[in-house]
Amino acid sequence: MEVLLFNDIQIQMNAFKYKLRTKNNLLVLLVICFNAFFDIPFALYRYIVKDKIKMQEPKKILVIRADRIGDMILSTPVFRWIKRLYPNSTIVCLASTLSSQLVSGNPFVDKTISYDPPWFDKKSQRVLHDYLKIWKSIRAENFDMAIDLRGNYNNFIFLMSLTMIPRRVSYIVSVGSFLLTDKVCFEPGKHETEYFMDIVKYLGCDTIEGFHPDLELSSAENAYAEQFFRFHHITSNDLVIAIHPGAGTKRTYKRWPENYFMELGRILVENYNAKLIITGSKAEVDLAKRLEDGIGRNTINTAGKINNLKELAAVLQHCTVCIATSTGIMHLAAAVETPVIVLCGPEDYVRWRPLGDRHTLVVKDVACRPCREESCSYEGECLRSILPAEVIHSVEAYIH
């Protein structure tokens, strides 16, 4: 009988603490006990029906990745390997409205369903209406298997169990993992994409020959970039540097100081005659405008103007380097093989570093990293201690 029993409770507690980003041993122990208690009746049910569920090759697979830009980019290698494992299956990606742009044109995704879950995106005023709509959409597809790449209990409940998908796959170190039919081990210290590959290996793919983001740019998106550079009189001889100063409206503590960005921009323009492309969302227009005014000449402010992520990716593809904190745009630049200088903040930079080997991580050791990234009691020391001169030194490696 499959029951949640751990051989080494300390190892499992460490895995839970890492996944849940908490240092509270009591909280973790309560989660483990909660899962174990409810796992008994669910395990009995799975024992009875597991042969029927697991022996059949799935005809339709739902991959849930309905959250942020960076998460989606790091997840794109999964689709290639799932398609290789189940070549006759239909692969459907459930994505947020914004991140769904990133799987458009992906040859390994047969269909995309857009949904902004209220547990991630709280903008919607029609929570019940939107959920019932997505519930009907998922039920109509008649999925055989669902894979949740985040390991989120809300996804387990509302997008996998209540939609009656028979086979449900995600990580064992999650609240509500008793709702899963297939529980994948989670070992701290890996890159985020490696965790996704653990799910693929669990499903039966023995050999994975490396992984990289799958981001397909259309001819129209490439043409947009070419027109953009012509319009701004940028040639192939120019040093073009993308700067992304934002980190989302709710995560201002993940921003590098504004005055540091201004100082960095002025040095790049005055000493290297660089042309700077400032990127940002509609919510970051004011921030980008302050930088544009503070730096002066040679700045191109695109904040709130390029709202198609793949068009932005096409522009980033032509940049010499991109400078950003750990954000979705950082991963977007890496996905098109543009070198990224990452100003590492409160995140676990080993887990969230951009894919590829052309990037530079600027890191200051601080005792509080990684944190839950909800607030900061140290006035952003992890980022504030990175000085513009250090970033210039990193840029010079790509110039020369």
Side-chain angles (χ1 to χ4, degrees):
M1 182 183 295
E2 183 187 0
V3 180
L4 190 60
L5 297 174
F6 298 117
N7 294 325
D8 190 334
I9 192 67
Q10 188 59 52
I11 291 176
Q12 293 299 328
M13 284 189 69
N14 289 339
F16 266 95
K17 285 194 287 186
Y18 185 82
K19 180 71 170 65
L20 300 175
R21 290 187 293 177
T22 182
K23 298 179 181 179
N24 190 324
N25 287 323
L26 179 60
L27 174 63
V28 169
L29 190 59
L30 287 173
V31 170
I32 292 174
C33 292
F34 175 81
N35 281 347
F37 178 80
F38 284 99
D39 195 56
I40 295 172
F42 281 90
L44 180 61
Y45 172 76
R46 288 194 298 271
Y47 177 73
I48 295 170
V49 303
K50 68 178 180 180
D51 290 339
K52 181 180 178 181
I53 292 175
K54 293 187 179 181
M55 287 182 65
Q56 298 175 349
E57 180 169 328
K59 295 179 181 178
K60 263 192 177 182
I61 302 171
L62 178 67
V63 180
I64 301 171
R65 184 80 273 185
D67 41 20
R68 300 186 179 99
I69 297 170
D71 298 305
M72 177 60 83
I73 292 169
L74 295 180
S75 301
T76 54
V78 167
F79 302 110
R80 175 188 297 268
W81 292 101
I82 292 178
K83 197 67 173 179
R84 184 171 296 185
L85 188 61
Y86 302 115
N88 299 318
S89 299
T90 299
I91 310 298
V92 179
C93 178
L94 179 64
S96 68
T97 302
L98 186 60
S99 63
S100 64
Q101 298 175 21
L102 299 169
V103 287
S104 172
N106 188 311
F108 309 106
V109 177
D110 299 296
K111 183 178 179 180
T112 304
I113 301 175
S114 296
Y115 176 57
D116 297 309
W119 46 95
F120 296 130
D121 185 350
K122 299 180 181 179
K123 296 177 183 177
S124 176
Q125 301 297 317
R126 304 190 303 169
V127 173
L128 182 59
H129 174 273
D130 291 346
Y131 173 69
L132 290 176
K133 184 178 179 181
I134 196 65
W135 182 88
K136 290 178 182 178
S137 296
I138 294 174
R139 288 289 298 137
E141 293 287 346
N142 196 26
F143 290 107
D144 304 289
M145 181 167 70
I147 301 170
D148 179 34
L149 296 177
R150 188 177 182 91
N152 180 272
Y153 67 93
N154 284 303
N155 291 347
F156 298 168
I157 297 170
F158 297 106
L159 302 178
M160 300 169 83
S161 298
L162 291 181
T163 55
M164 295 180 238
I165 300 176
R167 191 173 179 188
R168 303 176 296 279
V169 185
S170 195
Y171 304 106
I172 192 171
V173 288
S174 304
V175 180
S177 62
F178 56 85
L179 293 168
L180 303 173
T181 59
D182 297 75
K183 304 171 188 178
V184 181
C185 291
F186 188 95
E187 180 183 340
K190 295 183 179 181
H191 188 276
E192 186 71 0
T193 302
E194 290 183 82
Y195 291 122
F196 308 148
M197 293 300 107
D198 285 343
I199 289 180
V200 175
K201 291 176 184 176
Y202 172 89
L203 292 173
C205 192
D206 297 327
T207 304
I208 296 178
E209 305 160 352
F211 41 81
H212 56 82
D214 281 316
L215 187 66
E216 300 288 330
L217 297 181
S218 67
S219 56
E221 288 149 358
N222 285 315
Y224 174 88
E226 293 172 6
Q227 183 181 4
F228 175 90
F229 282 96
R230 279 198 304 271
F231 180 81
H232 291 287
H233 308 291
I234 299 174
T235 70
S236 58
N237 296 321
D238 288 319
L239 171 62
V240 185
I241 298 176
I243 293 178
H244 185 71
T249 55
K250 298 178 181 178
R251 300 190 293 173
T252 54
Y253 51 89
K254 290 192 71 172
R255 291 181 183 173
W256 199 41
E258 218 172 291
N259 59 312
Y260 284 11
F261 265 120
M262 288 182 188
E263 182 180 343
L264 172 68
R266 284 192 289 262
I267 293 172
L268 290 172
V269 170
E270 291 168 8
N271 294 1
Y272 303 95
N273 196 32
K275 294 192 175 180
L276 308 180
I277 298 177
I278 303 172
T279 62
S281 66
K282 291 179 180 179
E284 295 164 336
V285 168
D286 291 343
L287 170 63
K289 184 65 170 67
R290 289 195 297 271
L291 286 188
E292 179 186 17
D293 294 340
I295 296 170
R297 66 184 182 92
N298 281 18
T299 56
I300 303 165
N301 184 358
T302 68
K305 299 173 184 176
I306 306 179
N307 298 311
N308 183 297
L309 290 174
K310 291 176 72 177
E311 289 179 350
L312 177 58
V315 170
L316 292 172
Q317 190 173 38
H318 294 276
C319 295
T320 306
V321 68
C322 174
I323 303 171
T325 58
S326 182
T327 60
I329 302 306
M330 169 200 80
H331 292 295
L332 188 65
V336 291
E337 300 185 356
T338 294
V340 182
I341 296 174
V342 187
L343 311 175
C344 298
E347 73 284 346
D348 180 346
Y349 56 84
V350 172
R351 181 177 176 181
W352 295 104
R353 70 185 185 277
L355 290 174
D357 55 7
R358 303 179 63 199
H359 314 298
T360 300
L361 306 186
V362 185
V363 184
K364 292 293 183 179
D365 290 329
V366 289
C368 53
R369 178 193 289 121
C371 68
R372 285 190 59 81
E373 302 182 16
E374 293 176 345
S375 61
C376 181
S377 303
Y378 302 95
E379 298 180 349
E381 180 185 356
C382 53
L383 284 167
R384 189 167 39 83
S385 56
I386 299 174
L387 301 177
E390 298 173 80
V391 183
I392 289 292
H393 179 73
S394 298
V395 172
E396 287 176 342
Y398 295 101
I399 296 174
H400 301 304

